[in-house]
Amino acid sequence: QVAADNALITAEQATQAAAAERLRKPALQHLRAAVRARTTADRVLGRAVHAARKVDASWRLIGEAVGSPDHAALKRYGHHAEGLPVSRGRRDVTEAMRARVAAVATAHQAGVAADDAVTLAVVAAREAGVTWTLIADAIGMAQPNAVKKYLDLVRSAQLRERRIHTV
């Protein structure tokens, strides 16, 4: 009887492990897709910044498009303008500048949405039982950095979930 009980317990554990794995796999796939979207948004934003600088848009205009001061925009996105001639910055804003700066703003908004998607995917992955090591690998960062960046967000999502179920 003991052997039969142990076999039943082992079979039940195997079934639970298989069910957990079925949850973890799609969560990781979703996370990887969100990371790819973030990478694409970064690439598009870089091209948009390059195009804006190419028509002599100022760092002030680019900064306004991404919601930061001109010096912060230069520091964060300046490498996208490498190789372009240094300009004094035109004082008059042309239609070409407006169009390119609008593209910067749109690309920035896509990046923010992609960041949110990554965060939600990390929360879902943790809820599905995915380890921090696998999450960090999917994001492309060291495990301690992934924990540092997302742990509080995961905890706050878990607290919100508990509050919803207790109400």
Side-chain angles (χ1 to χ4, degrees):
Q1 179 62 32
V2 173
D5 288 345
N6 286 342
L8 184 60
I9 290 170
T10 303
E12 186 174 322
Q13 289 170 339
T15 302
Q16 289 172 349
E21 184 58 31
R22 282 193 300 275
L23 291 175
R24 285 191 291 268
K25 188 174 180 180
L28 267 174
Q29 289 171 338
H30 180 70
L31 176 57
R32 288 183 184 114
V35 169
R36 283 191 303 275
R38 176 66 232 183
T39 301
T40 300
D42 285 343
R43 195 175 314 117
V44 170
L45 179 57
R47 290 178 184 154
V49 167
H50 181 87
R53 290 296 297 157
K54 198 169 183 177
V55 296
D56 216 16
S58 69
W59 285 110
R60 181 187 58 76
L61 286 174
I62 293 169
E64 288 173 4
V66 298
S68 64
D70 54 352
H71 61 277
L74 172 60
K75 183 176 181 178
R76 182 162 183 194
Y77 305 110
H79 65 282
H80 293 295
E82 288 176 1
L84 293 176
V86 177
S87 66
R88 292 178 291 160
R90 294 177 55 135
R91 294 201 182 270
D92 59 321
V93 178
T94 66
E95 283 303 312
M97 282 184 206
R98 279 191 191 92
R100 299 307 189 298
V101 170
V104 169
T106 300
H108 174 70
Q109 291 166 351
V112 170
D115 279 340
D116 291 346
V118 170
T119 300
L120 291 172
V122 168
V123 170
R126 287 298 296 156
E127 288 173 353
V130 177
T131 66
W132 281 110
T133 301
L134 289 174
I135 289 170
D137 184 53
I139 295 171
M141 62 174 44
Q143 188 260 359
N145 295 340
V147 172
K148 183 177 180 180
K149 182 172 183 173
Y150 294 105
L151 181 61
D152 287 341
L153 297 167
V154 169
R155 285 182 178 158
S156 66
Q158 290 168 340
L159 286 174
R160 278 193 306 274
E161 186 68 23
R162 272 192 229 131
R163 284 189 201 124
I164 290 170
H165 289 300
T166 58
V167 173

